[in-house]
Amino acid sequence: MNITAVIADDEPALAEDLRRRLARLWPELQVTGLAHDGEAALAAIRESSPAVVFLDIRMPGLTGLEVAGELPGTCHLVFVTAYDQYAVEAFERAAADYLLKPVKDDRLAETVRRLRRRMDGGEAPGEMTALLERVEALTRPAAPLQWIRASVGESVELVPVDEVRYFTADAKYTSVVTADREYLIRKPIKALEAELDGQRFWRIHRGTIVNAAAVASVSRNFRGRYVIRLKGDGATLTVSRSYAERFRQM
């Protein structure tokens, strides 16, 4: 009998890679949906009622924890996370199944064995509410974001936030602009702002966050709007009236 699963990860290349590896390790597992944001994940789960859900913690829209809170009691849940070792220890203490990115073959094989053993034995999924409360409390970020994970082809690059000149919103995506190149990540700018150091990264527009260290000067244009000139190439960014107060005090 085929067992169904949904994979939710905001990096399409990583979701597809996990699907391929699961197909080798667990041929009976039928992946009925790949989702790349929280809303799509929830829709796929409601549509196919999978037995297993592989769920990224950080996704645009609904977070993985918010999606998990909506799962039916028949779903076996495996968190997929890029958190550091301290957070991994938190997952262990919360007795949560998890895969740490980049997912290692031996860890994935062990997770598959554990899931198959539970399902073959008719073991029901664990109680979700208390588990999610523990995981959320233990994995809450304690420090500002230091790295940006950006997909480039089939690989993922880690971009230090110190190298980012500014971020701009692009629908459900965010453009990450450094001195050398531009990346596109699957994270809304609002969610990204919550993870950045507000003393170093300034919101200057509903769709723009600038790195204060990249600012060369601030002036007013003929319309009285503040204009930021960046170091290096002298590129300019206009400050919206809603975010002008910071610059009036300079």
Side-chain angles (χ1 to χ4, degrees):
M1 181 180 69
N2 284 341
I3 299 168
T4 57
V6 165
I7 298 173
D9 195 303
D10 65 349
E11 301 287 351
L14 297 183
E16 178 59 29
D17 177 66
L18 181 57
R19 185 195 65 78
R20 288 195 300 264
R21 293 164 70 184
L22 284 169
R24 292 195 299 269
L25 288 168
W26 198 352
E28 301 86 0
L29 186 71
Q30 179 184 358
V31 176
T32 57
L34 295 178
H36 308 307
D37 61 64
E39 289 90 347
L42 195 54
I45 292 165
R46 286 172 172 167
E47 180 179 353
S48 62
S49 299
V52 185
V53 177
F54 294 86
L55 191 59
D56 192 5
I57 292 290
R58 290 183 176 175
M59 291 187 294
L62 297 173
T63 68
L65 294 176
E66 289 170 332
V67 173
E70 299 293 327
L71 293 185
T74 55
C75 279
H76 290 267
L77 174 63
V78 179
F79 289 112
V80 183
T81 177
Y83 283 108
D84 62 19
Q85 184 59 39
Y86 294 105
V88 167
E89 292 172 3
F91 277 86
E92 296 278 10
R93 293 200 301 273
D97 280 326
Y98 70 91
L99 294 169
L100 181 64
K101 297 179 182 180
V103 178
K104 296 182 179 179
D105 289 338
D106 57 348
R107 178 69 190 188
L108 181 58
E110 173 57 30
T111 298
V112 167
R113 285 193 294 271
R114 185 164 54 247
L115 287 169
R116 296 182 74 163
R117 185 167 58 247
R118 290 175 181 171
M119 299 176 78
D120 289 345
E123 183 178 338
E127 201 283 320
M128 192 68 66
T129 303
L131 172 63
L132 291 177
E133 288 176 353
R134 291 197 299 271
V135 171
E136 186 171 16
L138 292 166
T139 57
R140 190 172 294 121
L145 189 66
Q146 299 297 316
W147 302 86
I148 301 292
R149 292 170 47 248
S151 292
V152 180
E154 294 296 319
S155 64
V156 175
E157 291 191 15
L158 294 178
V159 183
V161 294
D162 290 343
E163 295 182 6
V164 178
R165 303 176 79 202
Y166 60 92
F167 302 91
T168 57
D170 188 352
K172 291 184 178 181
Y173 300 82
T174 298
S175 293
V176 181
V177 181
T178 69
D180 302 319
R181 64 183 302 177
E182 182 173 344
Y183 304 86
L184 195 64
I185 62 173
R186 279 182 171 268
K187 178 176 292 189
I189 200 165
K190 182 178 180 180
L192 186 63
E193 181 184 23
E195 299 175 8
L196 294 168
D197 183 345
Q199 298 299 313
R200 298 167 54 209
F201 289 88
W202 300 341
R203 190 76 172 262
I204 63 168
H205 187 277
R206 184 176 62 180
T208 308
I209 298 173
V210 67
N211 185 345
V215 175
S217 64
V218 180
S219 60
R220 286 198 179 198
N221 62 17
F222 69 96
R223 293 181 177 176
R225 302 281 293 275
Y226 289 98
V227 177
I228 290 174
R229 185 172 299 278
L230 300 179
K231 296 175 182 177
D233 62 2
T236 59
L237 300 170
T238 301
V239 180
S240 74
R241 289 186 174 87
S242 300
Y243 296 92
E245 185 61 31
R246 176 192 300 274
F247 302 96
R248 294 192 186 102
Q249 299 171 1
M250 289 183 173

